[in-house]
Amino acid sequence: MTWNEISFRKRMLIIMTFSGLVELLILALAGFSYIRHQQEEDMGQKALRVAKFLSESPAVIEMIRQEDTSQQQYYRDLTYMIGAAFIVIGNRQGIRLVHPLNQRIGLPMVGGDNQQALREGRSYISFAHGSLGRSVRGKSAVVDASGHIIGVVSVGYLIERLQDRVEPYLHYLLIIVVLVVIVNGLISGYISRRFQKAILGFEPEEIGRLYGELDVTMSTLKEGILSIDEKGYLRSINRSACKILGIDKSKALNRLLTDSLHDSNLYTLLETGRTDSDIELYLNHQWLIANRSPIVVDGRVVGAVASFRLRDEINDLTEQLSQTKAYAELLRSQTHEHRNKLNTISGLVQMGELEAVQQLIGQETEHYQALIEFLRGAIKDPLIAGMLLGKSERARELSLELRVEEGTKLDALPEHLHAEDVVTILGNLIDNAFEAVLTSVRQIKHIAYERRIIDVSISDYGNEIILEVDDQGCGLPDGVSVDILTERGVSSKSHQGRGVGLFLVQQLTDRYHGQLDMFDKKGNGTRMTVYLPKEPLI
């Protein structure tokens, strides 16, 4: 039977029991080593104290001076009383005067650890292999009354005897290890059953296969899909979402979604718990249609998931087609008008009326040239200036007049404010003004000429950029609030497909933390004002 064929519960039991056993064995060996080391230290200190006591004894000093070897039995009895392995006393040359074995008396001391005592007069603990075996020793120099080093005292305990004293501790530790392993096995079995229940009884290989299938499925979807956990961390994202949002999956996964997608407010679903269907979002400089829903487990919101796609391409194509038709109609009318003027100029040339030709051409170019020079000096952004010039020509074709106020001034836009968005805001306000004035013209046939003027003002004095469009149209509809007019699909016109202009204006204004004001002049038109902060608000 292979490892993968063993059930998950048994694998968990084996792994946890084996890991616990290894940990306990390491702990037991560490404890044994500590106890052994501690015993050696204790015996070394005990040997050192006895050695220092004997080295200071007058009897020992006198015995070394006389090189007396007749006190062997006394020191052997003392050795037995203190539980040591040996007491060895040597003279200045390291020759044994006292030793547990008679045949080794008079021979040099073994171990090579007497130098510090005989040369430097120190007392210390050493580990060495002597004639009786490896031992821990306490050594102390013997100094006479005149301060001369005359010998050394060595008291030792054999390491192998210390081993006998430590073994009971090892047996105790091994018994504890066995008991803990048994308890660990019981606990491991219980935990593995609970854990497998939490994963619905799936085996690890089944979970891996399901995850692989889900990953492939999400990768093949054209819609972008991502999910966050209850703390707002990105937990999953498919290939389409990465492409649409411009996100690097390896850098964004398991990090806060707002770190990679600053404008996202998906985390609000964690608090509200509501479901959003087919809402429009502006993310990564493009419009998306999204569906968002919280993830609820046992009545608690533990995350949120969002699926989205780029705004319907058919709507974009339809809008482009409508614009193309409008521009084609504009070009047709301009071509017709210029053809008539060219015919007039041709007739005047043939009649020799050159002054009249110059006057006609001057009249045609004077207004546009003045407007171009004015816009070039007042508006530093060419995209906005070009839009105003185009809208002026459009107003002329509609028998209206677009008048840019003399005080208009706009320097270079701040980095956070995009010219395309300003064009969208101002262009939609002007288009709405055209519609309002034309509606008023249709309702009042003999309208005064001055009521066909649309005034546009742009200023960037102070901390805000102010866009204002003032018309002499029909005003705001009765009974409709400003908040309702800025909703998508709501319009004061009855034509299908309306209700997008003010919605876009409001959405872009909110994005820059600006403000949209509408003032109804009660039958004398409407003044629309947008305030855009120059500094980004955090």
Side-chain angles (χ1 to χ4, degrees):
M1 179 181 292
T2 63
W3 177 254
N4 291 335
E5 293 176 347
I6 303 175
S7 66
F8 173 73
R9 187 166 60 183
K10 292 181 179 179
R11 274 185 274 180
M12 284 286 293
L13 181 61
I14 294 172
I15 292 173
M16 295 182 68
T17 302
F18 180 74
S19 62
L21 178 61
V22 172
E23 292 170 1
L24 286 170
L25 286 176
I26 294 174
L27 180 62
L29 291 175
F32 175 74
S33 298
Y34 173 78
I35 293 173
R36 179 178 177 180
H37 175 73
Q38 194 64 37
Q39 287 286 338
E40 291 176 352
E41 287 291 328
D42 292 343
M43 291 299 100
Q45 291 294 334
K46 184 177 180 180
L48 180 60
R49 288 193 296 268
V50 174
K52 291 177 68 176
F53 174 78
L54 292 176
S55 66
E56 296 172 359
S57 172
V60 172
I61 296 174
E62 185 64 25
M63 181 188 68
I64 295 176
R65 290 179 60 186
Q66 297 180 7
E67 294 190 357
D68 183 10
T69 61
S70 62
Q71 303 293 325
Q72 302 299 321
Q73 189 60 42
Y74 171 78
Y75 288 104
R76 290 170 187 171
D77 294 339
L78 180 61
T79 301
Y80 177 78
M81 290 175 59
I82 64 174
F86 59 83
I87 294 177
V88 177
I89 301 175
N91 62 12
R92 184 70 178 81
Q93 289 74 33
I95 302 300
R96 300 184 181 108
L97 301 178
V98 174
H99 193 276
L101 302 178
N102 292 331
Q103 62 270 25
R104 296 182 181 176
I105 296 174
L107 298 177
M109 298 174 69
V110 179
D113 54 350
N114 292 328
Q115 291 81 359
Q116 296 181 52
L118 294 176
R119 295 179 183 177
E120 303 174 15
R122 296 176 56 187
S123 299
Y124 52 92
I125 298 173
S126 69
F127 293 84
H129 195 286
S131 60
L132 298 178
R134 182 168 177 77
S135 58
V136 53
R137 306 174 175 186
K139 288 185 176 289
S140 180
V142 180
V143 181
D144 61 11
S146 60
H148 295 95
I149 301 172
I150 62 173
V152 60
V153 176
S154 177
V155 180
Y157 292 86
L158 294 178
I159 297 297
E160 61 182 15
R161 294 185 182 178
L162 291 177
Q163 190 81 13
D164 296 336
R165 299 179 62 180
V166 174
E167 283 183 358
Y169 293 99
L170 179 60
H171 296 157
Y172 174 75
L173 289 175
L174 290 177
I175 292 173
I176 295 298
V177 167
V178 173
L179 292 176
V180 172
V181 167
I182 294 174
V183 174
N184 185 59
L186 296 175
I187 296 175
S188 300
Y190 173 76
I191 293 176
S192 62
R193 286 194 299 270
R194 291 294 301 271
F195 189 80
Q196 191 165 28
K197 183 180 179 181
I199 60 175
L200 305 178
F202 287 108
E203 296 292 330
E205 292 74 21
E206 293 176 328
I207 296 176
R209 185 178 67 253
L210 290 173
Y211 180 82
E213 293 173 356
L214 178 62
D215 188 52
V216 173
T217 302
M218 291 181 64
S219 299
T220 57
L221 291 176
K222 188 175 182 181
E223 282 192 332
I225 300 176
L226 60 83
S227 65
I228 61 174
D229 62 12
E230 57 187 339
K231 295 182 180 179
Y233 284 82
L234 181 65
R235 292 307 182 191
S236 65
I237 184 170
N238 69 345
R239 188 183 306 166
S240 298
C242 292
K243 182 178 180 181
I244 293 172
L245 301 176
I247 292 178
D248 187 344
K249 183 176 181 180
S250 61
K251 296 179 179 179
L253 207 60
N254 297 321
R255 298 182 61 185
L256 286 173
L257 178 61
T258 51
D259 291 346
S260 304
L261 206 61
H262 304 290
D263 298 332
S264 174
N265 62 347
L266 181 60
Y267 61 89
T268 58
L269 270 69
L270 302 174
E271 301 175 358
T272 63
R274 71 171 186 270
T275 298
D276 297 329
S277 300
D278 295 329
I279 61 172
E280 287 199 3
L281 300 174
Y282 187 81
L283 296 173
N284 194 29
H285 308 294
Q286 53 193 340
W287 288 100
L288 307 175
I289 297 176
N291 294 285
R292 310 189 303 183
S293 177
I295 302 173
V296 181
V297 177
D298 296 332
R300 186 172 66 92
V301 177
V302 297
V305 63
S307 63
F308 49 88
R309 62 188 184 277
L310 292 172
R311 194 164 57 180
D312 195 351
E313 296 179 358
I314 297 178
N315 292 338
D316 293 341
L317 292 174
T318 301
E319 184 178 351
Q320 292 175 9
L321 181 60
S322 300
Q323 293 177 355
T324 302
K325 288 182 177 180
Y327 285 128
E329 182 64 22
L330 175 62
L331 291 175
R332 185 196 62 77
S333 61
Q334 288 180 343
T335 301
H336 178 73
E337 182 180 357
H338 287 298
R339 185 183 294 116
N340 291 334
K341 292 177 180 178
L342 286 175
N343 290 335
T344 302
I345 293 173
S346 177
L348 291 174
V349 170
Q350 292 177 7
M351 294 171 59
E353 299 290 340
L354 298 181
E355 292 184 1
V357 171
Q358 292 177 353
Q359 183 178 1
L360 179 61
I361 294 174
Q363 291 176 351
E364 289 296 318
T365 59
E366 181 180 2
H367 171 73
Y368 292 105
Q369 189 62 34
L371 181 59
I372 290 173
E373 292 298 328
F374 171 72
L375 292 177
R376 182 181 298 171
I379 309 297
K380 300 303 181 182
D381 191 287
L383 192 62
I384 300 175
M387 183 273 296
L388 289 174
L389 186 62
K391 293 296 182 182
S392 176
E393 177 64 20
R394 177 59 179 164
R396 188 167 176 269
E397 292 298 323
L398 297 173
S399 299
L400 304 175
E401 180 182 355
L402 181 68
R403 187 169 59 191
V404 182
E405 294 186 0
E406 293 184 0
T408 291
K409 179 180 179 298
L410 181 63
D411 291 329
L413 293 175
E415 292 184 1
H416 79 284
L417 194 59
H418 301 296
E420 297 86 352
D421 295 335
V422 177
V423 167
T424 300
I425 294 173
L426 194 58
N428 278 286
L429 293 179
I430 294 174
D431 289 340
N432 284 345
F434 288 168
E435 290 284 349
V437 173
L438 291 176
T439 300
S440 181
V441 169
R442 287 192 293 269
Q443 293 174 352
I444 306 174
K445 295 183 180 179
H446 302 288
I447 188 171
Y449 178 77
E450 59 270 13
R451 296 195 64 187
R452 298 187 180 187
I453 297 175
I454 294 93
D455 290 316
V456 177
S457 172
I458 305 175
S459 64
D460 65 351
Y461 300 105
N463 298 323
E464 294 177 319
I465 294 175
I466 304 174
L467 311 175
E468 186 174 272
V469 177
D470 193 340
D471 65 67
Q472 304 291 327
C474 57
L476 298 176
D478 296 333
V480 180
S481 66
V482 174
D483 293 336
I484 295 178
L485 281 175
T486 54
E487 293 181 5
R488 180 175 176 83
V490 177
S491 173
S492 61
K493 280 76 76 175
S494 58
H495 303 289
Q496 186 178 5
R498 299 289 185 177
V500 179
L502 284 180
F503 169 75
L504 292 176
V505 171
Q506 183 66 63
Q507 200 166 44
L508 289 172
T509 302
D510 292 342
R511 185 190 308 166
Y512 292 108
H513 303 282
Q515 181 179 348
L516 169 62
D517 288 343
M518 303 183 191
F519 179 70
D520 188 2
K521 295 188 289 185
K522 304 301 182 182
N524 294 320
T526 308
R527 182 168 62 246
M528 300 280 190
T529 308
V530 174
Y531 302 89
L532 300 176
K534 290 183 180 179
E535 297 294 332
L537 299 180
I538 301 176

